[in-house]
Amino acid sequence: MNCEEAQELLAALSLGALDKEEEGPLMAHLKECKACLKVLQENGRVMEQLPLAVESAFPSPDLRGRLLAQVEALEKMASSKVGKAMPPGGGWVNVWYWLRHWSPAFGVLTLLMTGTVLGWAIYLQLQMNTLTQNEDSLLTEISEQRMILNIATSEALTVIDLAGTEMAPEAYGKLLVDADNNNAVLVTSKLKPLKQDRVYQLWLIKGRQPSRPQDKIRINGGTFTVDELGQGELIIQAPDPVITYGDMGITVEPVGGSISPTGTKVLEMAP
Amino acid sequence: MEYGWLKDEQIIRLIVQGDKEALGALYDRYGRAVYSLSLRIMEDKGMAEEITQEVFLTAWARADTFHMQKGKFLSWLLTITHNKAIDQWRKRRRSLALSFDSVAANAWTAGEQGLETLEDSLSSVDRKYIREAVDRLPAPQKQVVTMAYFYGLTQSEIARQLGAPIGTVKTRMRLAFQKLKESLIQLEEELKSDEL
């Protein structure tokens, strides 16, 4: 793709109107071309302003009260130890409640993480004019954060718990899976930071038959590292919907990952 | 506490601390902007209010993840609003037979409210600028931007709807953005010279 072709698509990228098949070539071009990247950054300014052009309208006078009442109700439900009824409302409200209620500590952690990436994704889209360096990594990040945003806000969101093995009893993790496609986000906590030549590697496993362990097919789900709190994240684009894998695990592997597991297993699917 | 005088970052700090009235103050400040965008996309008051509620609940749950130095809080809210509304709209539009013939003419009005002077905390200058910039677009360019932004259509979907070659749609979109950028710069300069 040359600059002329790329610039024909930049407005569509900013507007979210780019056809999927054009995204890859355009992103590849943007990695190489600072001039086109600058145009994209300038488009961010328009995107910031565009919603303000809409004619202002008044919501019902009681909407404010309903909003605060809903917050109140959610807070009460979240702090209550009895009653597992879901709150009214859909989408995020339910997910938020679900996470907080069923796994309070990690629910909050996961929300914070998804909130962080949401904020970061939005920031990246709106504040492109601050991009002056590291275009390569930022472009990758934009693409990844968009995916995380899509998964985290998907109504088909499914959460899979991962528990620490004997080698890492305090560690835990969650897979946020978009049941509508092959994408997922892994978040972990309390995994030990590794030496520089080691990474954690996720394995997606099919053919879980205890009687025939040799039939298991292990797919590389990607590698990641963790910070000093043991928190890490990984975006997964699996060959099949992640929800169809019967088992999964995380092992310690050499940097770059392994073809099949060679190291200690630290996380596995919770029973 | 009187919240009206507080800056966004101060209100957000209070929200992080669990102050529900601060959320109310944030709603007072930006509720109309969020609702207006939702209503424009959904074209349904009830659904627009649901989305507005969801947006502010998101703000309540995740205020601590917003970094003021990295962007404007309103932009953050409106991006969430746009994403949620377009998601809903895409689901809804499958069941609707749409005509895009008159899209450009009425695209930027939110309903039967009519033009009004704004009394919320948004900069009316900002609104005026971007409105003027959009109004200055030639109708075919305004139409493709509108179909993408308010209806969540891709370039090929727009081409299909309009019965136009996709190359034409791409060019119109590019020219529209180019003109919007130029108009915004020009209008800003006009404002500066007025201030001097």
Side-chain angles (χ1 to χ4, degrees):
Chain A
M1 182 175 284
N2 59 34
C3 286
E4 200 179 326
E5 292 165 331
Q7 295 205 3
E8 209 71 344
L9 298 174
L10 292 176
L13 179 64
S14 300
L15 281 164
L18 195 64
D19 286 294
K20 267 195 174 161
E21 60 271 20
E22 294 191 293
E23 195 165 318
L26 178 59
M27 295 305 261
H29 176 82
L30 287 170
K31 281 184 182 176
E32 307 296 328
C33 180
K34 289 189 177 178
C36 289
L37 192 59
K38 189 166 181 288
V39 175
L40 183 65
Q41 291 166 6
E42 291 164 358
N43 285 354
R45 173 82 205 290
V46 174
M47 287 305 295
E48 220 176 88
Q49 297 281 315
L50 217 46
L52 302 180
V54 172
E55 186 182 330
S56 188
F58 292 91
S60 309
D62 65 347
L63 182 59
R64 185 187 196 273
R66 280 189 274 140
L67 169 68
L68 295 182
Q70 195 169 4
V71 169
E72 189 81 37
L74 284 168
E75 289 291 291
K76 274 185 188 162
M77 278 192 281
S79 60
S80 166
K81 291 187 178 175
V82 292
K84 301 273 186 186
M86 293 293 276
W92 263 106
V93 178
N94 286 346
V95 172
W96 179 40
Y97 176 75
W98 189 93
L99 287 171
R100 289 188 63 164
H101 214 99
W102 285 94
S103 182
F106 205 94
V108 170
L109 182 66
T110 307
L111 266 179
L112 290 176
M113 198 288 292
T114 50
T116 303
V117 297
L118 173 70
W120 182 236
I122 291 162
Y123 161 66
L124 284 172
Q125 286 180 341
L126 294 179
Q127 302 295 316
M128 299 278 285
N129 57 350
T130 59
L131 291 173
T132 53
Q133 295 177 341
N134 302 324
E135 289 94 345
D136 286 9
S137 59
L138 278 167
L139 280 167
T140 308
E141 215 163 341
I142 288 169
S143 169
E144 288 178 353
Q145 302 302 348
R146 269 188 186 162
M147 189 186 294
I148 293 174
L149 179 65
N150 288 339
I151 294 168
T153 57
S154 167
E155 289 197 356
L157 176 68
T158 299
V159 182
I160 297 172
D161 289 304
L162 299 174
T165 63
E166 285 179 1
M167 301 306 295
E170 291 192 339
Y172 50 99
K174 276 192 190 291
L175 260 181
L176 308 181
V177 179
D178 188 340
D180 282 346
N181 55 47
N182 301 0
N183 302 331
V185 183
L186 168 71
V187 288
T188 66
S189 193
K190 297 193 177 177
L191 279 173
K192 282 183 185 165
L194 297 170
K195 290 179 185 169
Q196 284 191 338
D197 61 345
R198 289 284 182 274
V199 290
Y200 289 109
Q201 185 164 4
L202 171 71
W203 302 99
L204 303 168
I205 304 166
K206 277 200 169 174
R208 191 186 195 192
Q209 293 177 24
S211 58
R212 293 180 61 83
Q214 68 274 24
D215 288 348
K216 283 184 180 177
I217 302 168
R218 291 176 175 82
I219 310 285
N220 173 17
T223 63
F224 64 100
T225 53
V226 299
D227 63 17
E228 65 279 5
L229 296 174
Q231 292 173 349
E233 65 181 70
L234 173 68
I235 296 169
I236 300 132
Q237 290 178 283
D240 297 307
V242 175
I243 203 135
T244 63
Y245 292 88
D247 199 3
M248 48 197 73
I250 291 169
T251 58
V252 178
E253 303 294 338
V255 166
S258 304
I259 297 169
S260 58
T262 62
T264 314
K265 182 152 84 165
V266 290
L267 280 176
E268 61 192 2
M269 219 157 131
Chain B
M1 185 188 291
E2 176 54 65
Y3 294 89
W5 299 102
L6 298 180
K7 292 178 178 173
D8 282 359
E9 56 262 44
Q10 293 169 314
I11 290 185
I12 291 160
R13 216 172 294 135
L14 289 169
I15 289 174
V16 171
Q17 290 164 12
D19 185 334
K20 295 182 192 69
E21 279 308 312
L23 182 70
L26 190 74
Y27 173 86
D28 293 340
R29 196 167 285 187
Y30 296 132
R32 277 174 58 192
V34 168
Y35 174 74
S36 301
L37 181 59
S38 306
L39 179 61
R40 175 57 202 87
I41 294 170
M42 300 310 299
E43 297 173 330
D44 180 289
K45 289 181 180 177
M47 294 182 88
E49 289 193 353
E50 267 182 41
I51 287 169
T52 304
Q53 262 182 294
E54 273 202 43
V55 169
F56 281 94
L57 286 171
T58 302
W60 172 254
R62 291 180 243 159
D64 57 341
T65 66
F66 177 76
H67 299 288
M68 187 55 73
Q69 69 275 18
K70 290 180 179 173
K72 293 178 188 167
F73 192 72
L74 176 60
S75 298
W76 189 68
L77 278 182
L78 291 177
T79 303
I80 296 172
T81 307
H82 187 255
N83 287 344
K84 283 182 185 293
I86 287 293
D87 278 355
Q88 287 298 321
W89 168 251
R90 281 181 175 144
K91 287 173 192 162
R92 193 179 167 212
R93 84 171 191 224
R94 290 178 196 139
S95 61
L96 296 175
L98 292 173
S99 165
F100 290 95
D101 296 344
S102 59
V103 152
N106 60 9
W108 302 82
T109 58
E112 67 277 22
Q113 308 292 335
L115 284 169
E116 56 174 87
T117 50
L118 289 160
E119 289 165 2
D120 58 18
S121 302
L122 296 180
S123 159
S124 56
V125 175
D126 280 354
R127 287 230 195 220
K128 184 177 162 230
Y129 275 8
I130 186 66
R131 267 189 198 159
E132 275 192 39
V134 170
D135 284 342
R136 286 180 188 184
L137 290 177
Q141 292 173 23
K142 190 173 172 183
Q143 188 178 37
V144 294
V145 170
T146 301
M147 290 170 80
Y149 189 68
F150 289 134
Y151 296 89
L153 299 182
T154 65
Q155 289 186 316
S156 59
E157 288 171 328
I158 293 170
R160 249 193 322 275
Q161 289 285 348
L162 297 179
I166 187 152
T168 304
V169 172
K170 287 177 182 175
T171 303
R172 284 178 188 170
M173 215 173 258
R174 173 176 59 78
L175 290 174
F177 258 65
Q178 204 172 303
K179 284 192 181 131
L180 286 172
K181 281 185 273 188
E182 286 166 7
S183 291
L184 284 172
I185 291 167
Q186 192 187 335
L187 289 164
E188 269 175 6
E189 281 168 3
E190 281 171 21
L191 178 70
K192 277 180 197 161
S193 64
D194 287 349
E195 284 172 349
L196 290 175

